[in-house]
Amino acid sequence: MEEPAAPGAAGPPANGNGNGNGNGNGGRAKQAAPKGREAFRNQRRESEGSMDCPTLEFEYGDSDGHAAELAELYSYTENLEFTTNRQCFEEDFRTQVQGREWLELEEEAQKTYVMGLLDRLEVTSREQRLKVARAVLYLAQGTFGECDSEVDVLHWSRYNCFLLYQMGTFSAFLELLHMEIDNSQACSSALRKPAISIADSTELRVLLSVMYLMVENIRLERDMDSRGWRAARETFRTELSFSMHHEEPFALLLFSMVTKFCSGLAPHFPIKKVLLLLWKVVMFTLGGFEHLQALKVQKRAELGLPPLAEDSIQVVKSMRAASPPSYTLDLGESQLAPPPAKLRGRRGSRRQLLTKQDSLDIYNERDLFKTEEPAPEEDEDPAGDGERALDGELDLLEQDPLVPPPPSQAPLSAERVAFPKGLPWAPKVRQKDIENFLEMSRNKFIGFTLGQDTDTLVGLPRPIHESVKTLKQHKYVSIADIQIKNEEELEKCPMSLGEEVVPETPCEMLYQGMLYSLPQYMIALLKILLAAAPTSKAKTDSINILADVLPEEMPITVLQSMKLGIDVNRHKEIIVKSISTLLLLLLKHFKLNHIYQFEYVSQHLVFANCIPLILKFFNQNIVSYITAKNSISVLDYPGCTIQDLPELTAESLEAGDNNQFCWRNLFSCINLLRLLNKLTKWKHSRTMMLVVFKSAPILKRALKVKQAMLQLYILKLLKIQTKYLGRQWRKSNMKTMSAIYQKVRHRMNDDWAYGNDIDARPWDFQAEECTLRANIEAFNSRRYDRPQDSEFSPVDNCLQSVLGQRLELPEDFHYSYELWLEREVFSQPICWEELLQNH
């Protein structure tokens, strides 16, 4: 996979905040001053506009509302096909049932009709099969022609999907999907076309739509569901989780479609529908985020570990968002201070700076984040040129009108933040932290260490005893710690401990199926994510992800072009949403199942440049991305099926959605940040990648979004790299450090704020990754590679036993047995003396 460009090292920032007018020549600072002031004014206007952004009322969950998730399955280009599906159903229904409608039939009559539909699917005519499949799709869409409201459409869609599943529709469509995937004629036809449109994937889109509607409707749990529906849901979950009838799990088939699409062998695949279905199948079979929390509690109880101190989901929900960053009041906390000689040469500059700093302190008491990076800050400079930041800083210091009012005039009481009385998270301590603390204390006070002994405190002063007691009170043993310890014991004593019993859970079966093709799966997903990112530039060698959104005839009017532009942007946003959530779910489930499964997936994501890709995604105006309105509410399912579509006008394109933000875009941003946290947590080499790609200013710009969960994961990413950013950075971003202290969990003895940690030394980073990779390979080899001639295979030394073994011989061997004896035994001279001498 082509490595995305380092977001902080090349090209201007996506939101246009970079000041590229400075240079390294101090003598040319005055020439650059007007341009620098203009850039700062633009920056100030943008930040003042973003300050008006209210706190976003966003509730994080497994997915959006039911209607929204169904609506995202269809592109606006597909809306004409709703009518086609209805016509196909009504033509077939009239030939089978006379004078009645679908909703008027009894359940048995409905089942009889569905059985007839499935029988008519097994015809040789491709055109006839498509018509029957469209009729089934119309049923799954809720027979909207007979409904009066959106609620009715959703109700009958769910009812029909359970009915279709009980009659075996999913299995029938799975066979048709296999046929379409292996259809070489369709693939070669698409490869020959200069431009692929929505018409090239008609059959696949119909099949995938039916399967998605069935998975999404059956997955949804309601209190009033009957016992039969609950049983059907569990049976469906089991069928999707495990290999049925000697076939691979359904998720693996979808993964293979993704890799085939990215390889260029099947460019006509409707990749958005494939990814949406893959995400929902993984969530249905493995479980969502709340189910993960329950599994974690259950597994800790099974391992004899103490219960969790808090529910992380509930803690995050109770957090309040902090004020967004401001670029207008950063003069006193710039990263690069002006040279002393320049300050001495400027009259009154010292008093002016002190006034600025005092005013800033007053302002910062009210606002948690009002110390963010100045406009031309060194680590935000797109060219990485520190001198440009210095020149820009000198220009800004000349602007007297920007000095805040004196302390006496600053309104203090109106906007003072009410800080919480306690920290939101219980602190944690690892066993390694206690060992390091005791090792340092013993070296200091008694001159030698006792290795991993954390109980012997002889010779240590009383305060050290109290410190160790406090550390042990907050000691946290994770499931991963137990799994790593067990793995080490299995590696040391494979014979005495015997073979490990691995429970066949859905997560374990999925990992076994993905194991040997997992690198290709991860690369394919990241390629699609790169193509869908709004910051990506169109390249000739990039994959085409718009095959299932572009119409056969391109738009000819401005309004049609506007509609298609909205549709394309919405299409990309949905792809980003599905991939980000899919990757996060896989990482969290694999981590709970076994830590080395999680590490294996993580390493391949890192090797495929996932970290710079996510940073590239965030190197844009995140506020604009989250508040983007790339949707046309009148064209969304199910509303578009029960009302006459209005004439296409500029007003109808903008009507409807009055939400202050786009749910899926905020959801995607949070998931990408969580994914980045998963990849970098406790990995110093990967944290250095964040530093190398200059992620700090990119992440701090995203703090403008007033949403607590998003801010929490940004602050986590800033916390892990503060020790590498240098003292000057920490000094000039003290209020961000305070925000980290208030919102992020504390690790006792974690020297994140000062940078004195021994782990901050860079020379062991390569060895760290190599050691981890060796442990992963040993785990996969021990658990999943079982060669017959292994080192520990039992050897049979009994001659009679060996000669008495029955060997599987080919059928024709019995006919040529005598010839074989003559050729291989009787006609071969045996020199017995030589044989005895050799032995």
Side-chain angles (χ1 to χ4, degrees), residues 48-266:
E48 287 172 350
S50 68
M51 290 288 285
D52 297 332
C53 176
T55 300
L56 304 183
E57 298 297 330
F58 173 81
E59 184 173 351
Y60 187 83
D62 291 332
S63 59
D64 202 351
H66 183 53
E69 292 295 334
L70 296 182
E72 289 180 353
L73 175 66
Y74 312 102
S75 63
Y76 297 142
T77 314
E78 291 180 88
N79 277 16
L80 295 176
E81 297 187 8
F82 285 117
T83 306
T84 308
N85 299 338
R86 179 178 177 179
Q87 291 172 352
C88 291
F89 171 80
E90 290 177 348
E91 288 176 7
D92 187 271
F93 192 71
R94 280 195 297 266
T95 62
Q96 305 296 322
V97 181
Q98 302 296 329
R100 302 181 70 182
E101 292 187 341
W102 170 260
L103 300 186
E104 298 174 353
L105 297 180
E106 295 80 9
E107 184 177 352
E108 289 302 319
Q110 291 175 341
K111 289 182 178 180
T112 303
Y113 175 72
V114 171
M115 286 297 294
L117 272 180
L118 297 182
D119 289 338
R120 290 188 288 280
L121 268 180
E122 300 177 1
V123 294
T124 56
S125 171
R126 184 182 179 86
E127 183 180 351
Q128 188 62 31
R129 273 206 315 268
L130 179 60
K131 285 185 176 181
V132 177
R134 284 191 179 279
V136 176
L137 177 56
Y138 176 73
L139 285 174
Q141 288 171 341
T143 53
F144 47 81
E146 304 174 30
C147 298
D148 299 324
S149 67
E150 296 182 17
V151 176
D152 289 345
V153 174
L154 295 176
H155 168 77
W156 287 108
S157 172
R158 194 157 180 264
Y159 171 86
N160 291 343
C161 283
F162 272 100
L163 182 67
L164 289 171
Y165 171 70
Q166 290 167 351
M167 303 311 296
T169 307
F170 193 87
S171 301
F173 271 66
L174 183 58
E175 293 180 7
L176 293 177
L177 182 62
H178 277 285
M179 291 171 54
E180 287 298 326
I181 293 173
D182 298 333
N183 187 350
S184 58
Q185 182 179 356
C187 295
S188 58
S189 174
L191 287 170
R192 286 194 302 268
K193 287 189 175 183
I196 303 174
S197 70
I198 199 169
D200 296 299
S201 58
T202 302
E203 290 83 0
L204 278 170
R205 284 187 294 105
V206 170
L207 297 177
L208 291 169
S209 295
V210 171
M211 301 173 95
Y212 178 86
L213 289 169
M214 292 181 68
V215 170
E216 181 64 12
N217 278 306
I218 296 175
R219 182 187 69 85
L220 182 67
E221 297 183 15
R222 294 273 172 82
D223 294 335
M224 67 284 296
D225 288 348
S226 65
R227 185 177 301 176
W229 280 17
R230 295 176 191 272
R233 180 183 298 116
E234 295 306 315
T235 305
F236 192 30
R237 194 197 312 270
T238 304
E239 288 182 5
L240 294 176
S241 302
F242 300 98
S243 302
M244 306 298 288
H245 310 296
H246 305 289
E247 293 182 356
E248 59 188 1
F250 183 52
L252 293 181
L253 175 65
L254 298 175
F255 269 118
S256 67
M257 291 184 70
V258 174
T259 53
K260 191 172 182 180
F261 171 81
C262 286
S263 65
L265 298 177

Side-chain angles (χ1 to χ4, degrees), residues 648-668:
L648 197 64
T649 63
E651 289 76 17
S652 65
L653 291 180
E654 298 174 358
D657 191 2
N658 295 321
N659 295 328
Q660 61 179 173
F661 62 93
C662 177
W663 195 96
R664 64 172 167 267
N665 288 355
L666 183 51
F667 185 62
S668 301

Side-chain angles (χ1 to χ4, degrees), residues 431-471:
Q431 176 69 19
K432 179 183 176 182
D433 299 329
I434 302 176
E435 293 172 1
N436 290 341
F437 175 74
L438 278 174
E439 182 180 3
M440 182 179 65
S441 302
R442 286 166 180 157
N443 280 329
K444 180 177 180 181
F445 292 106
I446 59 180
F448 63 89
T449 62
L450 298 176
Q452 297 181 348
D453 183 1
T454 58
D455 297 325
T456 305
L457 303 178
V458 177
L460 297 175
R462 187 67 185 173
I464 301 297
H465 289 226
E466 296 295 331
S467 299
V468 172
K469 180 181 177 181
T470 304
L471 290 175

